[in-house]
């Protein structure tokens, strides 16, 4: 089966920071449910819903990583950019032990794509495999035109991911800094959170930039250093 099931491209394999144990702000019981899905110890599918930057992709990749650690075959696919081409894109994926499909909203409303997803879901169910889905909204709010697909997705265990508050964003940055051996001054962290967008994707990009600059300059992450790096990037 290893030659038949599409593998995650190396660039998409979950990096160490995208493990289930490093997800910040998970609703109670969610990480345990994803672990059970990864190891094949739970029936039925699972559906994650939440707006941008709530960590849906993090959780899908982290679950795939846990499945592979458990000796199972995992496949991840984002539907972004695949509108009108889903049937070809998912060919063979039903043979993976765990299939994670991201960005379902990208193909909602395309009948051929929805039929392809409906058929895929049924093949997975018939084979005793439980899919993992993620979308910006729940099945009833995605604008799906195929009632049968909407019904199948609604039968999955559904979890809503929260948008991190300031305390959660601070915990996330502290965790990432500690994992890389960086010293993140508390005053510098507060300063960064007050001045940067609440969007987690943007905040993560800024952290990566600061990480590179800190490594190059052999400097701690202090307010003067953050101001120097960020102001230099604006010129």
């Amino acid at each position: 089966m290893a030659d038949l099931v599409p593998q995650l491209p190396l660039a998409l394999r979950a990096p160490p920071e995208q493990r289930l144990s490093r997800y910040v702000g998970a609703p109670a019981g969610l990480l345990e449910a994803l672990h059970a899905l990864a190891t094949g110890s739970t029936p039925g599918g699972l559906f994650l819903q939440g707006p941008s930057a709530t960590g849906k992709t993090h959780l899908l990749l982290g679950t795939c990583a846990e499945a592979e650690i458990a000796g199972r075959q995992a496949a991840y696919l984002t539907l972004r950019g695949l509108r009108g081409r889903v049937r070809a894109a998912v060919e063979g994926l039903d043979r993976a032990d765990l299939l994670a499909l991201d960005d379902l909203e990208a193909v909602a409303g395309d009948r051929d794509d929805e039929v392809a997803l409906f058929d895929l879901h049924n093949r997975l169910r018939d084979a005793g495999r439980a899919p993992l889905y993620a979308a910006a909204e729940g099945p009833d709010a995605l604008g799906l035109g195929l009632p049968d697909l909407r019904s199948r997705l609604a039968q999955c265990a559904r979890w809503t991911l929260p948008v991190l508050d300031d305390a959660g964003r601070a915990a996330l940055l502290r965790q990432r800094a500690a994992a890389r051996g960086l010293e993140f001054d508390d005053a510098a962290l507060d300063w960064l959170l007050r001045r940067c967008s609440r969007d987690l994707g943007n905040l993560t990009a800024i952290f990566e930039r600061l990480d590179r600059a800190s490594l190059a300059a052999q400097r701690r992450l202090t307010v003067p250093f953050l101001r120097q790096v960020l102001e230099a990037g604006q010129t």
Side-chain angles (χ1 to χ4, degrees):
M1 187 172 70
D3 294 332
L4 298 175
V5 178
Q7 296 294 298
L8 282 170
L10 290 178
L12 289 179
R13 286 191 177 276
E17 290 175 349
Q18 287 185 316
R19 294 292 192 266
L20 294 185
S21 60
R22 294 192 177 181
Y23 183 82
V24 174
L30 172 58
L31 298 184
E32 292 80 4
L34 289 171
H35 176 77
L37 191 71
T39 57
S41 57
T42 184
L46 197 149
F47 192 105
L48 302 179
Q49 63 186 67
S52 175
T54 50
K56 297 186 295 294
T57 299
H58 176 141
L59 291 174
L60 264 61
L61 290 175
T63 305
C64 286
E66 288 221 3
E68 291 189 339
I69 290 171
R72 307 178 77 225
Q73 195 113 42
Y76 166 91
L77 179 69
T78 173
L79 299 182
R80 193 181 306 150
L82 292 178
R83 194 173 184 86
R85 298 184 290 125
V86 168
R87 186 168 297 279
V90 302
E91 185 176 356
L93 292 181
D94 55 314
R95 283 169 282 184
D97 296 313
L98 172 69
L99 174 59
L101 290 179
D102 208 350
D103 304 302
L104 265 66
E105 66 274 10
V107 299
D110 186 294
R111 180 169 178 82
D112 289 342
D113 288 343
E114 292 185 13
V115 171
L117 290 176
F118 174 74
D119 292 343
L120 174 65
H121 183 98
N122 287 339
R123 292 196 303 274
L124 290 168
R125 182 190 60 183
D126 292 345
R129 298 186 176 98
L132 173 58
Y133 299 108
E137 298 179 281
D140 294 335
L142 280 178
L144 296 170
L146 188 64
D148 287 341
L149 175 61
R150 190 165 57 246
S151 174
R152 292 290 189 276
L153 295 177
Q155 291 170 7
C156 296
R158 197 183 313 177
W159 296 80
T160 300
L161 304 181
V163 176
L164 287 180
D165 57 14
D166 286 346
R169 294 191 303 151
L172 176 64
L173 290 180
R174 284 195 182 94
Q175 180 194 83
R176 294 199 172 185
R180 301 185 188 192
L182 291 175
E183 292 187 55
F184 211 143
D185 185 88
D186 285 344
L189 180 56
D190 292 340
W191 183 89
L192 181 64
L193 291 174
R194 286 198 305 271
R195 285 161 178 77
C196 290
S197 164
R198 298 182 67 89
D199 180 81
L200 204 54
N202 179 62
L203 192 60
T204 299
I206 291 174
F207 174 79
E208 295 295 333
R209 183 172 152 204
L210 292 171
D211 180 23
R212 292 192 296 270
S214 173
L215 182 62
Q218 293 296 298
R219 295 272 303 276
R220 294 174 58 243
L221 298 179
T222 61
V223 172
F225 183 68
L226 265 61
R227 185 181 288 117
Q228 173 189 329
V229 173
L230 297 181
E231 289 178 354
Q234 296 173 353
T235 59

